[in-house]
Amino acid sequence: MPRMLDRVDRRSESQRLRHVRDELDLTQRQLAELFGVAASAIAQWESGQHTIPGPVLRLLELYEREMGLGEQTVTKRLPFEATTRTARVAAASVLWLVFFGALQESEGNPLLRQVREASLRRVTRMLGELKGLAMKLGQMISYADVIMTERERAVLSMLQTDTKPMSAAAVCQVFVQELGKTPRQLFATWSADPIATASIGQVHEARLADGRSVAVKVQYPRIVQALEIDLGHAARFDRALALFFRGQQHPIILDELRARILEECDYTLEASNQGEAARAFAARSDIRIAGVIPELSSRRILTSELLAGAPLLSFVKTASASARERAALALLDFYFQGLFLHRFFHTDPAPTNFLFTDEHVCFLDFGRIKRFSQRFVDQLKQMLRAILSRDRDGVRAMLIDMGAVPDPHTYDFDYAYRALLHVHRPFLGEGAFAYTAEHLRKMWHVFIYANPNRSRINITPDMVFLNQFYFGVTAMLVRLGARVDYRARLLDLLYGPDEQRPAPFTDAEQRALLEFG
């Protein structure tokens, strides 16, 4: 009997060890290096030939604790190892949870950092093979890579680089179904290899008979049906968010995501959005939006003028400080004026949706546009005016009026006021503000990790994508290494020409904000 029990214990320990190694996405040799033992020892422990020594078991327990594993989960198949659509949505939820964890200050916890990176590798690799909801959700948070470690950034970049393109035959089939002809019949020249791939479609370069170069976005076959099925199972994602926002009314976030994601599949709507944005900023030489070629566009095909420019990383390497400042002002004007003057928001401020020159910024991909009511825009203006005016009572009143506070008796309004001041630091004082990763990291800290209101707030439909507005645009400015003074331009949007404007925050007031959180 003792010998049989010993074999059972070894089998259990070996399963636990293999489970941890799988979760860390490591080979036996790599795990041996991590544990400081011989590779042969890992092989013997996993096969059950030898008992795992006490010190290694204690180390194993530490990893299990960090990853939320236990002996009861050893034989359970993890959601992101399955192939069902429900599991794909679960995988997207995991990535969002990893995203929240990845932004924690963990420099003093190398074990947690290793667990984070392994989780990112596994989930992201799976998402990179999908063209549906899971990958879309993963891409929606990818802008946060500027405050991740180098290794985490490389892993997360797989979402934008590891997608598999459609075959030439599949592309032709979409064209015949939509426009009645093949690409080579419609264009003077056609490049069969896509210049970009994404979660819903891929982009090809072509040339018209009149010599104009165009970008042609082609939607993946059956992607709408796949997304609708995924969205039908997306309650898992809604429950994952509930871990962070326990005061949230359901399914507001899920419904808003569903609406915006399905709208993104309608290229006729995107063409309309793109045309509206182009007209809104037609007078701006520093903001470029491609014109649509309507006769070569449909619900699943979008043909636009091909804009010239460099990707963000290439631009930053060679651009002067003045060129980067012009780009930053163009980005801020596009988003703030779009919101306050035209009541629309481009909800996907990912680096892949912009091209840069020394003189202008090209804005791409208008599939996911959020339109706001005049009432919400007015509320947001009042909120910003209260923040800039040091009006605590005004901030409190607007948070309640906007529906963000389910229970005023339990909500920490003082913390919310100081957190909002911190997020708006670039506009509080006079002079240029330097957008740094540390500033963005502090924004996440005060709004996510240290925020006592995280479980007490209710995110309304209009607020769902505001995180992209503040955190996504800020991340773009961090990547640019921007140093820009935008306060006067923002005040012009918030106040009439004859209205009295608030005094700028002093250096002492701004230093006090840095000590907050």
Side-chain angles (χ1 to χ4, degrees), residues 418 422 425 442 446 508-517:
R418 289 184 292 163
H422 188 84
R425 272 186 62 217
K442 185 67 177 288
V446 300
E509 286 178 306
Q510 294 189 67
R511 283 195 299 272
L513 285 178
L514 296 177
E515 300 171 2
F516 165 65

Side-chain angles (χ1 to χ4, degrees), residues 217 264 266-275 302 365-367:
K217 184 155 65 170
E264 198 171 355
D266 183 352
Y267 288 175
T268 57
L269 179 58
E270 179 173 355
S272 176
N273 293 337
Q274 191 167 316
L302 178 61
D365 197 340
F366 288 81

Side-chain angles (χ1 to χ4, degrees), residues 406-474:
D407 184 359
H409 299 291
T410 61
Y411 196 82
D412 190 335
F413 287 99
D414 181 64
Y415 185 95
Y417 170 76
R418 289 184 292 163
L420 287 167
L421 283 180
H422 188 84
V423 169
H424 293 87
R425 272 186 62 217
F427 320 115
L428 298 182
E430 292 182 314
F433 180 85
Y435 284 85
T436 65
E438 181 56 36
H439 170 64
L440 183 58
R441 189 176 292 113
K442 185 67 177 288
M443 286 173 60
W444 275 107
H445 177 78
V446 300
F447 260 87
I448 301 297
Y449 306 115
N451 190 355
N453 295 317
R454 189 176 69 187
S455 61
R456 306 168 187 167
I457 193 169
N458 177 57
I459 299 174
T460 67
D462 281 329
M463 296 177 185
V464 170
F465 283 100
L466 281 186
N467 69 304
Q468 303 286 90
F469 182 85
Y470 282 103
F471 296 100
V473 176
T474 298

